[in-house]
Structure formats: structure tokens, C-alpha cells
Amino acid sequence: MKRSQLLVPTLKEAPAEAQVVSHILLLRAGMIRKVAAGIYNFLPLGWRAVRKVEQIIREEMNRAGAQEVHMPVVCPAELWQESGRWTKYGPELLRLKDRKDTDFCLGPTHEEVVVAMVRADVRSYRELPLNLYQIQTKFRDEIRPRFGLMRGREFIMKDAYSFDVDQAAAMVAYQKMFDAYGAIFRRCGLEFRAVEADTGNIGGSSSHEFQVLAESGEDLIFACDACTYAANAEKAAVGKRGETTESQSFGDQRRKEKEVVATPGKGKVEEVAAFMGASAREFVKTLIVRVDEFRERSAGKPVAGPRERNGEPDGTEGATHTMLAALCVRGDHEANPVKLKLLLGAGTVELASDEEVTRATHAAVGFAGPVGLDLPVYVDHDAAALETFISGANQTDAHVKNCVWGRDAKPTQVADLRVAAVGDPCPRCADGHLKTHRGIEVGHVFYLGDKYSRAMNAVYQDAGGNDAPFVMGCYGIGVTRTMASAIEQSHDKDGIVWPMSIAPFHVAILPLLSPTGDGAKTAAIADEMERALEARGVEVLVDDRDERPGVKFKDADLIGLPLRVSIGKKTLETGKVEVKWRSQKEAVLMAPEEAVAWIAAEVAKAVEI
Ligand code: ATP
Ligand code: MG
């Protein structure tokens, strides 16, 4: 392909609104253009990269046994009313009416449509398992579209949905998708982690986000430095240390009795610690929280996952209630209400209001503590491991010291209830420690169970002839976000450095002499190499413009094709062209035929399946 025939409007400067590298470079390299907030045109080079990502996804999905379908962008409200999401999904759902005043929405995800499709035509357990996917334009009216393709309103997603007879079979489908995602992101040349994500309390392994590691990532991830354990910040578990983790022995007589200390106006741990000459590590910090949609566990039946994800049906039945509780962590740690929510199988766990705190503790906010408190007390392992501790006295302007668990306060339950911190022991392996990374969520695998099939009455006939709801999983990949995240991860000050597998072209060929001089000669060598490389399946972009070498080099660096061949004056003298990796400084001289063979081999190696 000749550069002069391709629309590649490169820019010296990106518009000021572009903040992250991928957005800046995609604009500067003439790959995308904004049409409206969060809505973009893809120009030829950008679109080629998107198509590469799509093709890798398609090959791996097919290999994993999924079948490609195509569903509509415009979806009838009727189906969304059946699932309950017509009202539950927030303003991200773009609703519209047709000329007959019938309600529709632009699909932000397709559980409803795919469930209706399968419900209509799949009747028997013999037709399962089934995994259907599509690669399609999605619309989400994001409140803050930003960072170019990272958080668009219109974007391309691969979404897959699995249908199985039971949870065990669905977990097999889940594992296949998990493995396929690993293959996809590896083939895209990305450094990523599969990260455990919050699922309500269906179980630890039923939701993973695939996060590309990049400084500009919106998400915080904790990952082990020794094994593959990784989790998002809400979910990251803290491994147990060798210390005592259960409540201490009752009434140890050698210890001092608890003692109330006046701490006028000092409600914060740091203030009280300074005032008492103690360290924050000696404190037990107590949050009073309101636990909503709390269900008593019924025997053997898991409490359905209450996480509100895209307004999904909660799939739960029966009465729920609200309670106040105390959440205790060590003074130098941060409480994690999400972990308490998961522990209790509650709908939400939020900070109680000032009024509720005062009612429960009979004291001003800031003086709560587990001693003499008439609420269930949930205690983090590290707080429970303290031999003696200082805490709020449940009296305004007072704290209590020399407290002993068991003797002075009884934990209702001891568990991992704090936010992980850098250096915490890994919850999975013996010697690892947690480190933090920034990540970009490029994919998500999620076990859905029968939430949608039950809500929409989608059933199959089991072996005994009885109707049973399909058991589902859903699996998304942000195609356009994946393409942008490759740039976040691989660039330098001069431009993009594409991984070979998703580069718009594999090689840039730069004939450098002007048409007025010996240009015809360098152009002829370029043409010959282009033909030979294309015959071997290599994608070539020849910069045939009448531009100075400096301009061509700069543009080639900006666009970032993995290999560059320069043909200049020296070539005519020595018969050698200069071959250079975009990622390296040094070039190698080779005869054109030699260069063709070497490049073809390198490309084949890099894009090999
Ligand atoms: P996020 O937390 O980033 O808003 P999400 O969890 O709502 O994303 P999913 O419903 O899991 O997204 O969608 C599947 C995939 O689609 C995501 O993993 C992400 O890669 C991509 N995606 C979601 N929203 C956007 C968006 N606004 N722009 C581009 N890609 C997106
Ligand atoms: Mg997600």
C-alpha cells in the first residue's frame, strides 16, 4: 500500500483535550477523529488495528467453541422490561422511540436479546452447552466520556454468553473463556493480569477482570510478587500472618484492667495517639455501618449475589432486613465495607449516619469502640490479634485503654475486613507479598447463574423432562479499549510502538531520495521489496510522498509500525537497505532480498498463532 493513497492526516500537536497517551497518539497519527463527545471516526490506519484485534478475538473464541452471531444495536424495551433492567439501568442506557412511539434502547450489552434468542429456539438439554458471541458496536451514555477510546460512549465490544444445564457445566464454560482471554491478550502483545473482581458472594472465582498494566489505568490492582494472585482494590484479600488471629484468652489476670481516659475533642486516631503518646497500631478503630438487605443464611443455599452490575436483576427472593454493626480494624489500617458486605451476603454496607452513630454509641461521632457496645462486632484479623488495645469509649470525649478481646469486648466474627496494603502477605501463596499496579480493564468474565433466564423465563427441558432455567455466563472484551491500551503500554516520546500482531501494517518502507534526483531508483527498490513482501503475506506501507527524509522518519516513528526499511543514497552506493525495529535504536544493513526473507520470518514468528 502506498502512503500517498491512504488517508493518514498526521498532526504535530494533539488537541489540548487529549490527556492520555493513547488518545494523543491516535489523534496525532491520524488514526481516529472525534465526531462528538465519546464518539469517533476510525480512519484507515486506526481501523486496521481494530480489525486485527477483532480477528485475534474471533480466532480464539472460535477455537474455544463459541459461535459468532450478530444482534441488533437497537433493542426493544419490551425485553428490557422483562428482565427488569428498563427501569434499573441508569441514564447510561440511551432510550429512544420509533415513529409508532414504541420504546427502544441502544444496546449497552445484550443479555436480554441473547436470552430471548435462545429461549425461542433452544429447547432441550441436548442442545447445550451453547456459547454465542458477537463483535459489535455498543452504546453507553457515559457521564464522563474521556481518554479517547478508553471510555467512549460508542465503542466496539466482543460480548459472549454461555448457556449450560447447571453451575458445574457453566464453570467449565467460564474456564474456557478465561483461558481464551489469556490467549487473546497474549497474542495482542499485552502485559496483563487476570484479577479477581467483586461478584456479590457467589464465590471467589466467578468474576475476573482482565487488566492491562499501565500507569494511566483507572483501576487499582493488588498483585502478588511471587504467584499469579491478583485482585482489584475492593476485593484484594490479606493473607494471614503467623500471629494469633482469634480473640485472646479470657480475662488474663496479669493484664491491667481497662481504664477510661479523657480525650477532649480528639476523635481521630492520629490525634488521640499523639495525645496519649501511643502509636496508631495500638488502636482499634471502629466504624458504625448500616447493613442493608441483610439475609440470614438459609441452610446450604448460597445467598444470591446482590451486586448491582449494570442494573442486573438481583435474582433474590424473600425478606431482608437492615441492621447496624461495628466494623473494627487496627488504627493504622483502613476498613473495607465491601468485604463485610461479602461476608454477610448483604445488599449494601454503608457508613451509618451521625444520628445512627450517636443512637448506637450514646456518644458523639469519633468515640465509638467495641467495649460495651450493643451491636454485632466484626473484627479484622490484625485488630483481633492485638493483646491489648485502645479504642473509643462510647462516651463523648473519652477513650478506653488496656482493653482485651474476650475480657472487655467480644467479637461477633473475626475475618479479613480491611483494605489490603502494599507489602501485605499474599492470600494464596506462602512467600509472596502484595504490590499495587494501575490497570485498564480490557475484559471481564462473569458467572451469571440463572438471573436473566429466571427473570425472563428462559428454560430448557432437562433429562427428566422438567423445565429448568439456563445457567449463564457473560464475557466481554472492549475491542477499541484493547487497541488503545496497547498504545498506553507501548510507546515512546516519538510515537506509538505497535506490537506486531495488531499493527496496522507490519513494515514501513521509506524510499528517501527526491523524485528530482535519484528518486526513481530508490522508488523502484521500494516497489520491488513491497511486491516480494506482500507475496509472503507481509503488510507493507511505502511512504512514496515527495517529502524530506526527516519528515518521513518522524511520521514513521509516530505511526509506529514495528519494522522500518530505509532506502537512500547509501543503498545506491552499497546495494544495502537499512532495517530497523521501531523499538530499537540500531539499524542493520542488508541486501534487499536478504531483508525480505528476514522480515517475512520475523513477522511470521510474531503473529504466529
Ligand atoms: P468500566 O468499569 O470500565 O465502566 P464495565 O465493567 O462497565 O467497564 P463491562 O460491562 O464489563 O464494562 O463491559 C465489558 C468490556 O467493555 C469492559 O471490560 C471494557 O473493556 C469495555 N468497555 C466498557 N465500557 C466501555 C467504554 N465506555 N468505552 C470503551 N470500552 C468499554
Ligand atoms: Mg466490567
Side-chain angles (χ1 to χ4, degrees):
M1 171 66 79
K2 297 290 195 288
R3 171 71 196 266
S4 62
Q5 286 153 33
L6 200 65
L7 178 62
V8 192
T10 54
L11 303 171
K12 282 218 171 62
E13 305 272 347
E17 65 180 35
Q19 295 164 11
V20 297
V21 168
S22 61
H23 191 192
I24 293 170
L25 291 178
L26 282 165
L27 287 168
R28 284 195 53 213
M31 296 189 182
I32 62 167
R33 285 293 182 263
K34 179 170 145 182
V35 178
I39 301 178
Y40 290 88
N41 280 329
F42 289 84
L43 276 51
L45 285 184
W47 189 242
R48 285 181 73 101
V50 170
R51 301 288 287 178
K52 293 269 178 93
V53 176
E54 285 185 4
Q55 190 53 27
I56 290 173
I57 294 172
R58 188 171 278 120
E59 285 169 13
E60 294 302 330
M61 292 302 289
N62 292 347
R63 197 199 297 272
Q67 302 168 46
E68 187 168 4
V69 296
H70 196 77
M71 291 179 258
V73 173
V74 177
C75 307
E78 215 178 311
L79 294 178
W80 284 68
Q81 279 150 357
E82 276 191 54
S83 73
R85 283 208 292 188
W86 184 252
T87 47
K88 275 191 165 183
Y89 210 109
E92 283 74 30
L93 185 67
L94 188 67
R95 295 151 220 258
L96 45 128
K97 285 182 189 296
D98 70 3
R99 63 169 77 199
K100 291 185 185 144
D101 219 28
T102 311
D103 285 313
F104 287 87
C105 62
L106 295 188
T109 170
H110 278 70
E111 284 83 1
E112 282 78 2
V113 178
V114 79
V115 167
M117 174 158 84
V118 169
R119 175 178 66 183
D121 285 297
V122 179
R123 312 214 180 283
S124 160
Y125 71 96
R126 286 191 208 89
E127 296 168 75
L128 302 176
L130 192 61
N131 186 334
L132 301 173
Y133 78 97
Q134 63 174 344
I135 297 175
Q136 187 227 28
T137 298
K138 294 280 186 278
F139 195 93
R140 294 183 181 180
D141 201 355
E142 298 272 357
I143 184 166
R144 236 172 276 111
R146 58 194 168 146
F147 305 152
L149 301 185
M150 287 295 175
R151 186 166 297 284
R153 291 197 294 167
E154 186 176 300
F155 57 97
I156 300 174
M157 196 201 285
K158 185 285 300 177
D159 45 326
Y161 306 89
S162 62
F163 295 82
D164 282 281
V165 293
D166 57 21
Q167 180 168 1
M171 289 319 286
V172 172
Y174 184 98
Q175 188 60 41
K176 277 190 187 160
M177 287 296 101
F178 184 94
D179 295 342
Y181 275 36
I184 288 165
F185 296 121
R186 257 191 304 283
R187 281 185 61 189
C188 288
L190 296 167
E191 195 193 338
F192 65 94
R193 291 279 192 141
V195 169
E196 285 182 12
D198 178 19
T199 54
N201 54 346
I202 301 165
S205 61
S206 49
S207 173
H208 286 88
E209 290 167 359
F210 284 74
Q211 297 266 359
V212 165
L213 305 183
E215 282 303 317
S216 62
E218 288 187 284
D219 298 334
L220 181 67
I221 304 164
F222 284 86
C224 178
D225 57 12
C227 75
T228 59
Y229 177 80
N232 66 20
E234 280 187 343
K235 185 83 196 286
V238 179
K240 288 186 191 169
R241 296 193 168 93
E243 301 162 30
T244 327
T245 52
E246 293 309 318
S247 51
Q248 305 288 310
S249 58
F250 280 75
D252 185 339
Q253 292 308 312
R254 286 168 305 173
R255 291 196 190 109
K256 293 182 193 156
E257 284 305 308
K258 71 177 194 298
E259 183 187 334
V260 175
V261 186
T263 51
K266 297 189 168 43
K268 294 214 173 73
V269 168
E270 303 73 42
E271 295 168 351
V272 190
F275 180 74
M276 294 175 68
S279 92
R281 292 175 62 100
E282 297 170 70
F283 280 72
V284 166
K285 198 159 61 176
T286 305
L287 290 187
I288 307 296
V289 292
R290 194 179 48 251
V291 181
D292 282 322
E293 291 173 51
F294 174 61
R295 290 177 179 79
E296 303 294 346
R297 274 165 200 272
S298 48
K301 208 172 148 217
V303 183
R307 184 186 176 209
E308 277 274 316
R309 183 175 156 276
N310 302 337
E312 67 187 20
D314 67 11
T316 51
E317 290 154 20
T320 60
H321 57 272
T322 297
M323 66 168 184
L324 290 181
L327 171 51
C328 295
V329 297
R330 209 170 68 190
D332 58 331
H333 287 151
E334 198 185 326
N336 185 343
V338 173
K339 288 186 178 173
L340 184 59
K341 184 188 88 167
L342 295 176
L343 182 74
L344 298 176
T348 57
V349 171
E350 283 170 353
L351 282 187
S353 68
D354 289 3
E355 261 180 287
E356 286 169 322
V357 173
T358 304
R359 212 178 326 127
T361 64
H362 311 292
V365 174
F367 299 94
V371 178
L373 186 65
D374 190 21
L375 292 180
V377 176
Y378 296 95
V379 186
D380 180 65
H381 289 299
D382 291 315
L386 292 171
E387 287 215 11
T388 67
F389 64 85
I390 309 167
S391 75
N394 301 316
Q395 291 172 34
T396 302
D397 292 341
H399 280 73
V400 54
K401 64 178 190 180
N402 306 331
C403 302
V404 176
W405 287 115
R407 185 188 72 182
D408 303 316
K410 180 126 184 58
T412 307
Q413 196 171 349
V414 176
D416 172 10
L417 292 171
R418 68 174 175 88
V419 176
V422 174
D424 275 341
C426 173
R428 189 177 294 162
C429 73
D431 2 278
H433 291 88
L434 298 182
K435 272 186 160 173
T436 51
H437 302 270
R438 302 299 309 183
I440 301 167
E441 182 195 322
V442 286
H444 199 164
V445 292
F446 205 95
Y447 170 74
L448 286 172
D450 61 8
K451 281 182 188 179
Y452 286 88
S453 44
R454 206 175 267 285
M456 296 179 67
N457 195 28
V459 297
Y460 68 93
Q461 245 181 26
D462 67 18
N466 302 310
D467 282 350
F470 294 101
V471 181
M472 294 176 60
C474 67
Y475 317 95
I477 292 181
V479 175
T480 38
R481 188 185 280 184
T482 298
M483 182 260 226
S485 71
I487 299 174
E488 291 295 332
Q489 206 166 64
S490 182
H491 63 269
D492 63 16
K493 66 176 186 4
D494 298 317
I496 303 170
V497 184
W498 285 109
M500 186 68 88
S501 58
I502 62 172
F505 289 88
H506 301 132
V507 191
I509 298 186
L510 314 185
L512 295 171
L513 299 187
S514 129
T516 51
D518 277 331
K521 291 183 187 158
T522 53
I525 299 171
D527 288 352
E528 181 50 37
M529 286 188 72
E530 181 189 16
R531 252 194 315 276
L533 284 165
E534 281 181 350
R536 293 172 182 238
V538 177
E539 298 164 4
V540 184
L541 185 61
V542 179
D543 193 346
D544 60 337
R545 297 171 305 163
D546 181 14
E547 290 283 2
R548 284 177 293 113
V551 172
K552 292 190 179 183
F553 285 133
K554 258 205 155 58
D555 255 19
D557 280 349
L558 178 60
I559 290 167
L561 304 183
L563 283 165
R564 188 187 81 189
V565 177
S566 329
I567 307 169
K569 212 156 76 202
K570 273 204 206 122
T571 310
L572 300 182
E573 290 160 16
T574 63
K576 304 241 162 135
V577 298
E578 211 183 80
V579 183
K580 189 181 105 53
W581 285 104
R582 171 65 181 82
S583 57
Q584 292 174 13
K585 282 220 147 46
E586 301 307 313
V588 182
L589 295 175
M590 298 184 207
E593 318 76 64
E594 196 191 346
V596 166
W598 183 82
I599 289 168
E602 287 297 320
V603 171
K605 219 190 305 172
V607 301
E608 204 176 25
I609 299 164

